[in-house]
Amino acid sequence: MKFYDREIEINILKENELQSRKSAVFTVLMGRKRVGKTTLITTALKDFDYAYLFVSKDNEAVLCQKFQQTLEEQLGIHIYGSISHFRDLFEVIMKESLKRHFTIIFDEFQTLYKVNPAIFSEIQDLWDRYHRDSHLYLITSGSIQSLMKRIFENENEPLYGRPTSKLTLQPFSISVIKEIFKDHCPDYKNEDLLCLYMITGGVAKYIELLMDAGCYTKEKMLNYVCRQDSYFLSEGRDIMNQEFSDESATYFSILQLIAGGMTKRSEIDGAMQKDMGVYLHNLEKNYLMVSRLKPLLAKPNSKVTAYEISDQFLRFWFRFVWPYQSLVERRQLSLLRQNIGQHYEQFTGRTLEQYFQAQAMETGRYSRVGNWWDRKGENEIDMIALNEFDHTGMIAEIKRNSRKISLIELQAKVEVLPPKTFGEYIFSLCGLSIEDM
């Protein structure tokens, strides 16, 4: 699959590279696994001198020997003798950057925690000592977001405040997903687009796998996911095992409950038979895997909340793959595929809402987009999109089947919106279905 989009991110990386010719620049690039961080960096810097250093789970001496060889091959940095400590290697890099300009990329940077946690203090010391006179462009990329946030955003960590720029690479937007799909299959159907969005959520690697395999229809995509050699069957577990260092079973259980429809805190606590507040907080704030939803414009202390898995693929995986690991292990994948088919329409009802909400934000016309529901759960609105500057907005009822949309019923729900909160807005009402994707 060819390279798509990322013009803004490429321009930022190139501008930072040019800036680093005068003074050192330290860029942090974060993003979930498979989103395309490495491809972005190498594409943006293909015309510049750089050394790409992948942080593997070796001991420090072995890792330094690999880095030493790469530095000589890719940048011509000759190091006499054999270096076994990261501090010595990084000091060579910093001293060399005093004489000439080049770029160093540390990929999967957070893995240094497992190599030697003291390395981060060593980097801080050497960066503080040399960077003012340096011409180094230092890029650190990482996919375990909880660790990357800890390294660079925790004020108690040595590298806090050192980066000069931070980027978080998001999955492809809906417009780009459509562009990719159209390039591969010009006459794709909207149902197929919805399935592609449900499985991939815009993650570059997942889209590439499906497109390269010629999976352009809903049926082919779901069949591919359920194949015996499917990349997708183990992908969720691989991501989770990297993120969770301990108590992974509890987190897996909570995510399975949320994917299965238990979205309220009381429901989750009841199913787990204990207070899950700390775990939910970690999933939301540290691991960035769930979002805590509130009715749009609800007060910050509102207790009317619901939890949702933020990542489309993980939402799909925890609903249809993880609960049925026994089927996967016994290779009864036809039953797995059959179960997905039976619950597909119900599950993708919410996926369609998320699709249109994301699309509304991408238009640039709205500053806030979300759902609204009352405390009793008697009235629920699928989407409210607000422009908080000119006090206009759109309210939509979203159904897979357009024949089930009733604007009369939607108007009745609009009339119970709190006037103190929404009274100053002028709304347009509409119905959205698969036909409008």
Side-chain angles (χ1 to χ4, degrees), residues 23 70 96 120 142 165 179 188 216 222 236 262 267 279 315 352-353 385 396 412 415 419:
S23 59
T70 302
E96 183 72 16
F120 300 111
S165 72
E179 179 188 353
Y188 72 81
Y216 305 144
L222 295 179
M262 289 192 182
E267 294 173 335
Y279 296 95
R315 179 173 174 263
L352 191 63
E353 291 180 21
E415 291 173 359

Side-chain angles (χ1 to χ4, degrees), residues 9 96 273 325:
E9 292 86 353
E96 183 72 16
Q273 296 187 342
Q325 284 298 293

